[in-house]
Amino acid sequence: METVQQFFDLEAFRIPSVRPTDILEILIIAFLVYHVLLWAKNSRLWSMLKGVIVIIAFILFAEFFQMNTILWIVGNFFNVIIIVVVIILQPELRRALEELGRKNFFSNAFFFGDMKFQERFSDKTLNEIVRACVEMSKVRTGALIVIQQDFSLAEFERTGIAVDGIVTSQLLINIFEHNTPLHDGAVIIRGDRVVSATCYLPLSDNMGIGKELGTRHRASIGVSEVTDSLTIIVSEETGKISVAYEGELDKSVDSDRLRDRLKVLQNKHAEETHIKHFARKARVKR
């Protein structure tokens, strides 16, 4: 009986006390693991997991049968393999870090209720943008309009020509008119002003984008992946209006839906739940 009592008194069988910091640590780790898996699912890492599983199984097989040469090779090249993986996934890692930097964790946690936020642009600007897009859609004039939110678009503005004009439908239509000096490239709108035209945007490397989409659509998705901007595209071939936001392309948008999207953009914090409805990352809505 004394031997049994000594067995259960062993340190290994004692249940450790759980502190509040332990619970917090578990929640933080769970949060990080969840977001890493979510990021992996929307990147090329997800397709590489099968290969990683095969390699791990092969290493376990070598360990079980004591294949020392293979284990030595794996041990010495492990650091090199990590560097190669980082190089392969460099665009996805950069996008993940940029997205992490754009998230407003503290504002989402502490700002609530019916707090008022300053609008990003006026109702007049909203109506002028919608009117211009509808008119250009009717005559199949290609257009690419980027609307800035919190993330600065200065690096893209520098690639174009400064305009600094009040947003009007006539100005936007004239900019994108065929054979005019400013029609090629994107227009960037900040607040109630057109700040720059003929801007170059980064093309998306998302393999899920349909081959039928042209350079305008790939550029709109590309800039929406690296910034929090919303981009409006008018197709020169079909005249259809599309909207790119957070890596998602919403195709064949009518004037009412475009107006709703811009209304959400006017005050992002107050309408955050509506934005989440529109933002499904790294996918193209058909």
Side-chain angles (χ1 to χ4, degrees), residues 132-133 135-145 172-180 182-187 216-217 232-241:
C133 291
E135 292 300 323
M136 288 187 289
S137 174
K138 291 178 181 178
V139 295
R140 297 189 178 184
T141 299
L144 191 58
I145 303 171
L172 292 174
I173 292 173
N174 287 335
I175 287 176
F176 290 111
E177 187 65 34
H178 295 288
N179 301 322
T180 57
L182 301 180
H183 85 282
D184 192 20
V187 159
R216 279 196 184 93
H217 293 81
I232 304 171
I233 314 99
V234 180
S235 173
E236 188 173 355
E237 290 75 19
T238 64
K240 293 181 178 179
I241 303 173

Side-chain angles (χ1 to χ4, degrees), residues 219-281:
S220 66
I221 297 174
V223 72
S224 72
E225 289 173 340
V226 298
T227 70
D228 63 350
S229 62
L230 181 142
T231 304
I232 304 171
I233 314 99
V234 180
S235 173
E236 188 173 355
E237 290 75 19
T238 64
K240 293 181 178 179
I241 303 173
S242 303
V243 175
Y245 184 73
E246 290 198 351
E248 177 190 346
L249 184 67
D250 193 354
K251 300 170 65 177
S252 301
V253 174
D254 57 18
S255 60
D256 292 334
R257 181 164 176 78
L258 178 59
R259 192 180 303 275
D260 290 340
R261 296 296 298 268
L262 292 176
K263 284 182 179 179
V264 172
L265 204 68
Q266 276 185 294
N267 194 337
K268 180 180 179 182
H269 296 284
E271 301 289 341
E272 185 175 2
T273 55
H274 297 286
I275 285 184
K276 291 179 180 178
H277 171 73
F278 293 124
R280 301 181 183 91
K281 298 178 180 59

Side-chain angles (χ1 to χ4, degrees), residues 56-224:
I56 293 175
F58 183 74
I59 294 174
L60 293 176
F61 179 83
E63 179 70 26
F64 182 79
F65 288 100
Q66 292 298 308
M67 299 178 178
N68 296 324
T69 302
I70 294 177
L71 294 175
W72 179 86
I73 293 173
V74 171
N76 284 274
F77 284 92
F78 183 75
N79 293 333
V80 177
I81 293 172
I82 292 178
I83 295 174
V84 170
V85 171
V86 170
I87 293 174
I88 293 175
L89 298 177
Q90 185 267 339
E92 283 78 8
L93 291 171
R94 183 191 64 193
R95 191 174 303 134
L97 292 174
E98 288 174 343
E99 182 178 339
L100 181 64
R102 295 200 307 266
K103 286 190 177 296
N104 299 317
F105 292 109
F106 294 101
S107 62
N108 292 340
F110 298 109
F111 296 157
F112 51 87
D114 297 328
M115 296 183 65
K116 295 182 179 179
F117 296 87
Q118 184 178 4
E119 292 182 344
R120 290 190 172 87
F121 47 85
S122 65
D123 290 335
K124 180 180 183 298
T125 296
L126 186 152
N127 293 328
E128 294 292 334
I129 294 173
V130 173
R131 184 180 299 113
C133 291
V134 171
E135 292 300 323
M136 288 187 289
S137 174
K138 291 178 181 178
V139 295
R140 297 189 178 184
T141 299
L144 191 58
I145 303 171
V146 184
I147 303 174
Q148 178 177 315
Q149 291 199 77
D150 299 326
F151 195 91
S152 174
L153 301 177
E155 62 175 304
F156 306 118
E157 293 174 23
R158 287 193 291 268
T159 64
I161 298 174
V163 176
D164 193 23
I166 297 175
V167 176
T168 63
S169 59
Q170 293 87 350
L171 175 60
L172 292 174
I173 292 173
N174 287 335
I175 287 176
F176 290 111
E177 187 65 34
H178 295 288
N179 301 322
T180 57
L182 301 180
H183 85 282
D184 192 20
V187 159
I188 295 179
I189 294 177
R190 181 169 63 245
D192 294 321
R193 305 189 73 84
V194 176
V195 295
S196 188
T198 70
C199 300
Y200 294 102
L201 304 179
L203 298 180
S204 174
D205 57 359
N206 183 0
M207 301 302 293
I209 300 175
K211 300 297 183 182
E212 74 279 2
L213 298 179
T215 304
R216 279 196 184 93
H217 293 81
R218 287 188 172 273
S220 66
I221 297 174
V223 72
S224 72

Side-chain angles (χ1 to χ4, degrees), residues 21-77:
T21 53
D22 295 330
I23 297 176
L24 180 61
E25 189 175 13
I26 292 172
L27 292 175
I28 292 174
I29 293 174
F31 176 83
L32 293 176
V33 170
Y34 170 76
H35 281 277
V36 167
L37 291 176
L38 189 64
W39 165 74
K41 186 177 180 180
N42 294 325
S43 67
R44 284 179 288 180
L45 181 61
W46 195 256
S47 60
M48 295 173 61
L49 283 179
K50 292 182 180 179
V52 172
I53 293 174
V54 172
I55 294 175
I56 293 175
F58 183 74
I59 294 174
L60 293 176
F61 179 83
E63 179 70 26
F64 182 79
F65 288 100
Q66 292 298 308
M67 299 178 178
N68 296 324
T69 302
I70 294 177
L71 294 175
W72 179 86
I73 293 173
V74 171
N76 284 274
F77 284 92

